[in-house]
Structures are given as structure tokens and as C-alpha cells.
Amino acid sequence: MSKLTDISYVKSVLAKHGFRFSKALGQNFLINPGVCPRMAEECGCSDNVGVIEIGPGAGVLTNELAKVACKVVAVELDKRLLPVLKETLSEHDNIKIINGDAMKLDFVRLIQEEFHGGEVVICANLPYYITSPVIMRLLEERLPINSLTVMVQKEAADRICAQPGTRESGAISAAVNYYSRPEMLFKVSKGSFLPAPKVDSAVIRLNILKEPPVAVQDEKLFFRVVKAAFSQRRKTLSNSLSSGLSMPKQEISLLLDRAGIKSTARAEEMTMEDFAQITNTFFSISNQHL
Ligand code: SAM
């Protein structure tokens, strides 16, 4: 068992460096010994597949990733953790820690410079305050990675992994399903963290697709339609699209009619194909008007 899941060891290293947990940075460190080895095993890193970690914290997951992967590059925003990581990960020579912000870092460049065209995956216990923006950023950049294995709050995991067209789905389900095939791997109880958060978590894997599952004529428009449709998820599509796209309800009804979608339908009933159909109809109508 790794000493990094021994609470008294972790507390003593953190205390030695004068570290105090920051709620604002989503600092809940894993102390359940079963979780990190399983994440390292399921994320797809290996002797010839490198891994990028976001937010190594005290290094508990980094340590397990370094045992399996040829190389680990970990990006940590909090400078105070750099001396901690130097101490806790001293026995590995295949880890590089970068002090940076996952919301701003140039990952395309990082992958080129650190992995030189080799295969790469991402694995992280994400800070909760930026779960969706980080996931969307990494997907939208179309990074040359095989998959993204991340721990997120259980409720977010359910939403992200929901199939569009089902009650649990939301704008994030459609967006994630456009770039990847999401998979729920396992649940993690709130007692697995120091300090314990208020809610349980889950580990999910987003397997990156080579091609989107539907053909859309304008990607930006597709995401605008999805966002508008879910902006008022309890309302009918014609209402939510009308206010979300700032278009008269009459025009939206015509658009939905042409796309073969009932205007009384709701966003959660829409499959990826339905959203693509609405987007492509909208695209051709707009271009006819030009
Ligand atoms: N990986 C560790 C673990 O599992 O115990 C820590 C996970 S903790 C939930 C999230 C980590 O992300 C913290 O170390 C926090 O400082 C770091 N973090 C927060 N915002 C970040 C950002 N924008 N970029 C990179 N790291 C960030």
C-alpha cells in the first residue's frame, strides 16, 4: 500500500511544508488506497503510452501512474504543493511536474514537447470547481490523446455519461458524446477524501472518437442549438430554442417542422441525430436567406 494513502503520513508531509487545504482550488486529496491503482490501471497508460495528470495534489495518483506509465507530466496550479511533490515522488524518475493552470496551458504544445508524437492519455482527480470547463476545453481542442479518465462528482458523472435522448441528459451529455464515447467506471464514496467533500464521486472514461457520431454542417451552430435547447429544459423545444437563439417562435416552429421534429418535444428527448438534423436544417434555411 502506498504511504500516500496513510493519513498520518500525508498530514505530516503537508504540515512540514506549512500547507493548508484550499477549498477554492477544490483540494480534496484521495486517501482510499484502492482508488488510484485502479485509475492508473483503467486509464490506458503503459510502458509505451504516456499520461498527463491535472492537479497532482500531494501526488497520490501521480505515484500510481508513474508505476504504470512510461512518463507522467502533472500540471499543478498551487505553487505551495511543488516542494510537497518533490518529497513525496522522489523515488520516481519518470515524472515531470509543471506549475500551471489547466484552463490556460497550451496542451497541444505540451504534448508535442513532452511526448514527441507518442501515445498519450489524460488521467485526473479533477478540482470540482472547473470540472465541465476543463473537460470541454480538453475535448474541443481535439488533442491527440486516446482517452480522458477523470474523477468528478457523481451527479456530474451521471450527466456526462447520459445518452442524449434520455431524461438524465443535458447539454454536456450531447457535447461530450460529440467528441467521445463516455463510460462510467466506478463510484467513489465521499469518505475516500481528505478533507471529505459533501457528495460522492465517480470515475469516468471518455474514449476519444476519431470522427463525430453525426455529420453537422456547422459545429458552432450545433453547440449553440444544444445549449439553447437545454437553456430551459422544462419548456418545449420551440420555447427554449426561441429564447436561446433569440428567434421568433413562429420561425422556430417552421424550422422544427422542416427538420421533422415535434415543436412540443423537449430537449431531453433529442438524440444526437435529432440535434444534427435541427442544426443542418437551420444552416440550410439561413443560407437560403443570404
Ligand atoms: N490528485 C490529487 C488527489 O487525487 O489526491 C489531488 C486532487 S484535488 C481534487 C485537485 C487538485 O487540482 C489540487 O491539487 C488543486 O490544487 C489542483 N488544481 C486546482 N485548480 C487547478 C487548475 N486550474 N490547474 C491545475 N491544477 C489545479
Side-chain angles (χ1 to χ4, degrees):
M1 192 177 86
S2 159
K3 59 186 180 180
L4 280 160
T5 51
D6 173 350
I7 301 190
S8 49
Y9 171 74
V10 177
K11 279 187 172 167
S12 76
V13 179
L14 294 178
K16 187 171 143 193
H17 293 278
F19 178 83
R20 278 168 178 260
F21 289 96
S22 157
K23 215 173 172 184
L25 288 181
Q27 289 175 341
N28 301 95
F29 294 175
L30 269 164
I31 43 158
N32 178 333
V35 176
C36 294
R38 197 162 166 198
M39 283 181 80
E41 192 183 311
E42 302 224 26
C43 75
C45 64
S46 70
D47 284 352
N48 39 35
V49 180
V51 60
I52 297 173
E53 185 191 0
I54 292 165
V60 63
L61 175 60
T62 329
N63 179 53
E64 297 303 326
L65 292 171
K67 292 183 196 168
V68 186
C70 48
K71 180 170 180 179
V72 185
V73 175
V75 181
E76 175 57 61
L77 178 62
D78 190 345
K79 270 199 176 87
R80 299 173 306 152
L81 286 165
L82 303 185
V84 174
L85 289 163
K86 202 169 177 198
E87 177 169 345
T88 58
L89 301 173
S90 61
E91 67 195 51
H92 298 283
D93 60 5
N94 59 343
I95 300 175
K96 177 162 181 180
I97 306 289
I98 294 178
N99 181 217
D101 183 343
M103 284 305 292
K104 297 189 184 144
L105 199 78
D106 183 346
F107 281 97
V108 174
R109 195 163 148 199
L110 180 142
I111 291 172
Q112 271 166 6
E113 287 177 359
E114 300 294 339
F115 298 98
H116 317 288
E119 286 187 65
V120 186
V121 296
I122 294 183
C123 186
N125 172 12
L126 286 179
Y128 295 146
Y129 75 105
I130 44 165
T131 301
S132 301
V134 165
I135 292 178
M136 284 318 300
R137 172 159 196 248
L138 298 172
L139 291 174
E140 280 166 4
E141 295 225 334
R142 291 205 156 93
L143 301 174
I145 54 171
N146 299 344
S147 62
L148 251 160
T149 301
V150 287
M151 167 122 56
V152 298
Q153 289 188 336
K154 172 70 174 50
E155 210 181 306
D158 288 338
R159 190 71 96 194
I160 290 169
C161 293
Q163 266 304 312
T166 65
R167 264 193 92 170
E168 298 72 30
S169 66
I172 184 100
S173 333
V176 164
N177 271 275
Y178 187 78
Y179 297 106
S180 69
R181 181 175 55 79
E183 252 183 293
M184 180 73 80
L185 295 183
F186 57 95
K187 292 179 197 151
V188 179
S189 70
K190 52 189 172 207
S192 302
F193 301 88
L194 176 75
K198 288 202 174 70
V199 294
D200 292 335
S201 295
V203 178
I204 60 175
R205 186 173 55 220
L206 309 180
N207 305 288
I208 304 298
L209 298 172
K210 290 207 164 52
E211 296 287 334
V214 286
V216 293
Q217 273 155 318
D218 181 337
E219 271 185 8
K220 274 201 178 134
L221 183 59
F222 175 80
F223 290 111
R224 264 182 69 205
V225 166
V226 168
K227 210 168 148 199
F230 282 103
S231 60
Q232 293 167 299
R233 57 180 296 130
R234 308 222 175 281
K235 297 207 170 167
T236 60
L237 259 188
S238 60
N239 278 320
S240 56
L241 286 179
S242 165
S243 68
L245 298 172
S246 309
M247 280 169 66
K249 223 173 129 183
Q250 238 179 342
E251 276 186 40
I252 294 289
S253 297
L254 204 74
L255 163 70
L256 291 175
D257 197 41
R258 282 230 207 152
I261 309 272
K262 275 200 292 187
S263 51
T264 51
R266 281 164 216 278
E268 63 195 35
E269 295 166 51
M270 294 296 102
T271 61
M272 292 296 279
E273 289 73 18
D274 293 333
F275 280 125
Q277 183 68 21
I278 297 172
T279 306
N280 292 339
T281 309
F282 190 2
F283 182 82
S284 60
I285 289 177
S286 313
N287 283 350
Q288 274 167 21
H289 288 172
L290 288 176

